[in-house]
Amino acid sequence: MSSKPEVAFIGLGAMGFGMATHLVKQGYSVTGFDVWAPTLARFAEAGGKTASTPAAAVEGKPVCVCMVATAQQAQAVLVDGNLAPAAKALPQNAVILLCSTVPCGYVQQLAKTLADPQGPVRRPDLLLVDCPVSGGATRAADGTLSIMAGAAPAALENELAKTVLGDLADPAKLYFVAGGIGAGSNTKMVHQVLAANQILSGPEAMGLAVRFGLPADATTLDALLKSPGFSWMFGHRGPRMISGYQPLASAVNIIVKDTAIITSEARRAGFATPMTSVVENVLYTAVSRGFGGDDDSSLLRLYTEGAGTPANVDKETALKLVVDLLKGIHLASAAESLAFAHHVGLDLDLILDLCIHAAGGSTMLEVHGPSIVAVLRGQQPPALAETETLATVYENLAAAVDAAQQIKAPVYLGAQALNLLRLTLNHAKASPTSPPAAAVVRVWA
Amino acid sequence: MSSKPEVAFIGLGAMGFGMATHLVKQGYSVTGFDVWAPTLARFAEAGGKTASTPAAAVEGKPVCVCMVATAQQAQAVLVDGNLAPAAKALPQNAVILLCSTVPCGYVQQLAKTLADPQGPVRRPDLLLVDCPVSGGATRAADGTLSIMAGAAPAALENELAKTVLGDLADPAKLYFVAGGIGAGSNTKMVHQVLAANQILSGPEAMGLAVRFGLPADATTLDALLKSPGFSWMFGHRGPRMISGYQPLASAVNIIVKDTAIITSEARRAGFATPMTSVVENVLYTAVSRGFGGDDDSSLLRLYTEGAGTPANVDKETALKLVVDLLKGIHLASAAESLAFAHHVGLDLDLILDLCIHAAGGSTMLEVHGPSIVAVLRGQQPPALAETETLATVYENLAAAVDAAQQIKAPVYLGAQALNLLRLTLNHAKASPTSPPAAAVVRVWA
């Protein structure tokens, strides 16, 4: 146990608290800081030490984990906040593990600020690792997170950094991403394209199911989760969707923040995010209506409110239509996510492996992801065992959108995916063969 | 006056009542039918005759105008409703002027049904004209509507049809559209792409203005209407947006119906409607919340609710951002509308002329429409006096969407237009010259 370095941990929210207490259990001496005093008291009870400023927390610690909520908070606790910030107070050659989800542009700027000889910190010796995490509070507390780490080689190969990251992550889900500072944040961002879309596709699908007359219960949920419309997010949020949106596990405001990172970074990078922008606007409507603090499973309300008499659709047909809605949406979100990864120069094999096994996973990503990657690389897509073409996915999704229209049910994502599939089909008209479903990615690239 | 034919008029709603009483004033003998008895009584007071069934109304009349609300209603009053329908009761070689807004697919099916020797009507002698109208209740009552008429040549050249249409329309706005039955409905549909988008772009722009701290008053409205963000719809709805959504002039449910025609016909024709689909889903949300019967200026509520402290933006900057939002949206809706017209084989010069001078008009359509038509025809776009490129419109719109994001303001249409512009820019990368704004239409065609 004595081989474990002393660690400063800044930001003890739902995720940070679990991560920090897990490190305590692993034998680390962890000094925590948070602006919320009751959390500090809880952390002391859990065996941690506490400090009253970021600078005090990091004094003499060779490693500082930063797990605050936003780039603005990271900037404040590390560089220029009113409460003595951490960066200048760190010992020589210390490691900063920035685990917060922040824009690539921010963490690249931070690296420059830390090293800038005319800047407020002037510490080119510090080793910054850009290492956002994914997996939720339970996996944070278990030390089985997905972590996507990018940094300059010296930081990425630092033994202390590897030790701490190794103890926080599931060994199969600790990814060292090529591309330097910013590549970790870009990887998380690309993953969050899937997360954001699938946080909304579940409510959209369940809402349509309800309007078709299916009960919002475990039977309907199970049927959808066992279908090719499966997503990890729907599996995770679904049980709360059918039990009054309780308990609060992940607030709408959290995915709002991540979605804004995606679309603003997309504008900066010159990339289009038609799927995620739809999610973002629906989320802003939810926030405007006062739902920001509620569990995001409650987005179902936006789809079920004012539903009249259920449509006259038999149960089997209804389920098929809802599954086809999910399939179309998840195909389009997989394409948007992987095209974005390609656009910012990430390793597509790594991204695909990471996303399939993390919260962004879906059956459509697993089935069609390798083909989408092949199309992005200009290669022949691998032959699929199944004969699902772009036209098939389109026709099935069109039937779902058509049935939704009959009952004036909103299907924001379904309609968007349908239009993207249609645009691809029309541009592919000259092609002699029927394009595979993966070809939808040609809208982006 | 004795040269005016006797006319049967079925459907005396807001539009139909105005049209029918205008014909009475022009010296026609008009026999009206409507299911709503008080309307019939009012029509009698206005000098009309009345009938208790569609069949009774048309008996002996060489011309029947049908101005019911939907295709379902048209089918009922003409072919197979419970109340003795009209078609079989019409005299030999009578003209049916179907002025309702219906899908092209429906009116083509109706033509077949009327003539079918095995069908329920068996009247190949009837002359069906597909002639939807536009212009609102005031112009209906003035006899200055826009009318888009398509039919088989014998019907289109029929003197009685021409006389009645000529008396209902503004002479400069009576369009005889090539393409036979369905071309009139397709023309109206293409026009309604603009109408639907611009019914929503006004509230989206005014909502953003309010969130930027501008007052929802005549000063703000005037500034926007005098800008290149002008649309006819905003001019028409704007005054009601700033005066409590009163009086009720056009209910949300009306544009809901037209929007559903656009997107369902687009699916049938294999065309993508990314802009109109966004409108449709926002409208379904409005309907779900119980706003369907309210004036559509009240869509502003969806954008202003829950607005927090206004953003810290100076008045001039705020106005510029809102104008740029409108410009981007109207460019994209112009492109979607004209690309759809091209897709269904309509005369683009006629469509452009019609739309610029009707309720679908906007400054962006007038400025960039001719260039969009040129791009659709594979021609060099005409040189514009101004130097507005696709990149310029994109950058300005991106600034507006970015500013909206800072305050979590929904901009459904702005974000969609931005993504469509971005997709076009990325696909045009290989091009040596900076593409003109009109090039956005390449997303569709």
Side-chain angles (χ1 to χ4, degrees):
Chain A
M1 293 292 182
S2 62
S3 70
K4 305 288 188 184
E6 281 192 89
V7 171
F9 205 107
I10 299 177
L12 299 167
M15 293 289 289
F17 191 87
M19 293 162 72
T21 50
H22 174 72
L23 290 178
V24 169
K25 286 180 202 151
Q26 296 302 108
Y28 287 83
S29 166
V30 184
T31 305
F33 169 77
D34 198 281
V35 290
W36 183 241
T39 295
L40 279 186
R42 262 180 72 215
F43 186 58
E45 284 165 28
K49 298 173 186 171
T50 64
S52 58
T53 67
V58 301
E59 211 179 316
K61 313 297 187 307
V63 178
C64 167
V65 182
C66 181
M67 191 56 203
V68 294
T70 65
Q72 288 74 13
Q73 291 179 12
Q75 181 70 7
V77 298
L78 293 174
V79 177
D80 56 18
N82 293 327
L83 236 63
K88 280 181 92 165
L90 278 162
Q92 199 67 14
N93 302 317
V95 173
I96 300 175
L97 300 176
L98 181 57
C99 293
S100 307
T101 297
V102 297
C104 163
Y106 169 70
V107 65
Q108 288 178 340
Q109 184 59 48
L110 175 63
K112 279 187 196 148
T113 302
L114 294 178
D116 183 357
Q118 263 76 53
V121 180
R122 306 181 193 190
R123 292 290 303 274
D125 61 294
L126 295 175
L127 299 168
L128 176 64
V129 184
D130 164 35
C131 48
V133 309
S134 176
T138 308
R139 283 172 56 194
D142 290 345
T144 57
L145 288 167
S146 298
I147 301 188
M148 309 134 221
L156 216 52
E157 285 154 21
N158 179 276
E159 285 305 320
L160 295 182
K162 281 190 189 168
T163 303
V164 177
L165 290 173
D167 280 327
L168 291 169
D170 179 328
K173 295 178 178 176
L174 174 54
Y175 295 86
F176 292 96
V177 189
I181 283 287
S185 288
N186 272 341
T187 301
K188 172 79 193 258
M189 174 183 75
V190 160
H191 175 271
Q192 292 309 89
V193 169
L194 296 162
N197 276 276
Q198 291 160 20
I199 280 174
L200 194 62
S201 69
E204 184 161 310
M206 186 60 95
L208 187 58
V210 168
R211 286 177 182 250
F212 282 158
L214 297 176
D217 68 5
T219 312
T220 302
L221 180 61
D222 286 354
L224 293 173
L225 291 178
K226 281 178 186 145
S227 81
F230 168 85
S231 73
W232 185 94
M233 280 295 179
F234 201 14
H236 193 256
R237 269 60 172 180
R240 298 199 291 288
M241 267 178 233
I242 59 176
S243 54
Y245 320 133
Q246 298 295 332
L248 171 58
S250 190
V252 169
N253 282 334
I254 293 176
I255 193 63
V256 163
K257 183 180 76 71
D258 290 5
T259 306
I261 290 174
I262 295 164
T263 60
S264 61
E265 284 289 302
R267 285 194 294 276
R268 203 171 66 91
F271 184 74
T273 53
M275 294 297 295
T276 308
S277 292
V278 166
V279 177
E280 182 175 31
N281 278 294
V282 173
L283 292 176
Y284 286 160
T285 291
V287 169
S288 296
R289 297 179 65 182
F291 304 158
D294 298 343
D295 190 72
D296 62 31
S297 60
S298 72
L299 293 165
L300 178 60
R301 279 178 286 188
L302 301 180
Y303 290 97
T304 53
E305 68 186 334
T309 313
N312 186 17
V313 183
D314 71 75
K315 200 184 145 181
E316 201 178 332
T317 306
L319 266 178
K320 179 181 179 335
L321 290 168
V322 174
V323 169
D324 287 336
L325 179 82
L326 285 167
K327 287 178 68 177
I329 294 170
H330 295 169
L331 176 66
S333 54
E336 180 160 300
S337 167
L338 291 167
F340 202 178
H342 188 60
H343 189 86
V344 297
L346 294 172
D347 174 344
L348 295 178
D349 293 320
L350 181 151
I351 292 291
L352 188 58
D353 181 70
L354 184 161
C355 291
I356 287 174
H357 300 103
S362 75
T363 302
M364 289 302 273
L365 178 70
E366 200 166 349
V367 171
H368 297 283
S371 304
I372 293 172
V373 167
V375 172
L376 284 168
R377 288 176 173 152
Q379 301 165 349
Q380 190 67 20
L384 292 180
E386 52 184 301
T387 57
E388 200 157 49
T389 65
L390 193 58
T392 317
V393 180
Y394 175 83
E395 293 302 336
N396 292 339
L397 177 57
V401 170
D402 204 74
Q405 180 174 68
Q406 304 305 317
I407 52 173
K408 298 188 173 62
V411 283
Y412 286 90
L413 288 172
Q416 186 77 331
L418 186 73
N419 282 315
L420 294 169
L421 289 163
R422 183 75 258 170
L423 289 174
T424 320
L425 280 167
N426 289 1
H427 282 285
K429 258 182 192 161
S431 157
T433 56
S434 172
V440 69
V441 78
R442 294 207 179 106
V443 166
W444 286 272
Chain B
M1 291 288 180
S2 62
S3 70
K4 306 284 186 185
E6 280 193 88
V7 172
F9 206 108
I10 300 177
L12 299 167
M15 293 288 290
F17 191 88
M19 291 161 74
T21 50
H22 174 72
L23 290 179
V24 169
K25 285 180 202 153
Q26 296 302 108
Y28 288 83
S29 166
V30 183
T31 305
F33 169 77
D34 197 282
V35 290
W36 184 243
T39 294
L40 278 186
R42 262 180 72 216
F43 186 58
E45 285 166 28
K49 299 175 186 172
T50 64
S52 58
T53 68
V58 301
E59 210 179 316
K61 314 296 188 309
V63 178
C64 166
V65 183
C66 180
M67 191 57 204
V68 294
T70 65
Q72 288 73 15
Q73 291 178 13
Q75 181 71 6
V77 298
L78 294 173
V79 178
D80 56 18
N82 294 327
L83 236 64
K88 279 181 91 163
L90 279 161
Q92 198 68 14
N93 303 317
V95 173
I96 300 175
L97 299 175
L98 180 57
C99 293
S100 307
T101 297
V102 297
C104 164
Y106 168 70
V107 66
Q108 288 178 340
Q109 184 58 48
L110 174 64
K112 281 188 195 147
T113 302
L114 294 177
D116 182 357
Q118 262 76 51
V121 180
R122 305 180 194 191
R123 291 289 304 274
D125 61 295
L126 294 175
L127 299 168
L128 177 65
V129 183
D130 164 34
C131 49
V133 309
S134 176
T138 307
R139 282 172 57 195
D142 290 346
T144 58
L145 288 168
S146 297
I147 301 188
M148 309 134 222
L156 217 52
E157 285 155 21
N158 179 276
E159 286 304 322
L160 294 183
K162 282 190 189 171
T163 303
V164 176
L165 290 174
D167 280 326
L168 291 170
D170 178 329
K173 295 178 177 176
L174 173 54
Y175 295 87
F176 291 96
V177 190
I181 282 285
S185 288
N186 271 341
T187 301
K188 171 80 193 256
M189 173 182 74
V190 159
H191 175 269
Q192 292 309 90
V193 169
L194 296 161
N197 276 276
Q198 291 160 19
I199 281 175
L200 194 62
S201 69
E204 184 160 310
M206 187 60 93
L208 187 58
V210 168
R211 285 176 183 250
F212 283 157
L214 297 176
D217 68 5
T219 312
T220 303
L221 180 61
D222 285 353
L224 294 174
L225 291 178
K226 281 178 186 146
S227 80
F230 168 85
S231 73
W232 185 94
M233 280 294 180
F234 200 15
H236 193 256
R237 269 61 173 179
R240 299 199 292 286
M241 269 179 232
I242 60 175
S243 53
Y245 320 133
Q246 298 294 333
L248 170 59
S250 190
V252 170
N253 282 334
I254 292 175
I255 193 63
V256 163
K257 182 179 78 69
D258 290 5
T259 306
I261 289 174
I262 294 164
T263 61
S264 62
E265 283 289 302
R267 286 194 293 277
R268 202 170 68 91
F271 183 75
T273 54
M275 294 298 295
T276 308
S277 292
V278 165
V279 178
E280 181 175 31
N281 279 292
V282 173
L283 292 176
Y284 287 160
T285 291
V287 170
S288 295
R289 296 179 66 182
F291 304 158
D294 298 344
D295 190 72
D296 61 31
S297 60
S298 72
L299 293 166
L300 178 59
R301 279 178 288 189
L302 301 179
Y303 290 97
T304 53
E305 68 185 333
T309 313
N312 186 16
V313 184
D314 70 75
K315 200 185 146 182
E316 200 178 332
T317 306
L319 266 178
K320 178 181 180 335
L321 290 168
V322 175
V323 169
D324 287 336
L325 180 84
L326 284 166
K327 285 179 68 180
I329 295 170
H330 295 170
L331 176 66
S333 55
E336 182 160 300
S337 166
L338 291 168
F340 202 178
H342 187 60
H343 189 87
V344 297
L346 294 172
D347 175 343
L348 296 178
D349 294 320
L350 181 150
I351 292 290
L352 189 58
D353 181 71
L354 185 160
C355 291
I356 287 173
H357 300 104
S362 75
T363 302
M364 289 302 274
L365 178 70
E366 198 164 351
V367 171
H368 296 283
S371 303
I372 293 172
V373 167
V375 173
L376 284 167
R377 287 177 174 154
Q379 300 164 350
Q380 191 67 20
L384 291 180
E386 53 185 301
T387 57
E388 200 157 51
T389 65
L390 194 56
T392 317
V393 180
Y394 174 84
E395 293 302 336
N396 292 338
L397 177 58
V401 171
D402 204 74
Q405 180 174 68
Q406 303 305 318
I407 52 173
K408 298 188 173 62
V411 284
Y412 286 91
L413 288 172
Q416 186 77 332
L418 186 74
N419 282 315
L420 294 169
L421 290 163
R422 183 76 258 171
L423 289 175
T424 319
L425 280 168
N426 289 0
H427 282 285
K429 260 183 190 161
S431 156
T433 56
S434 172
V440 69
V441 78
R442 293 206 179 107
V443 165
W444 285 271

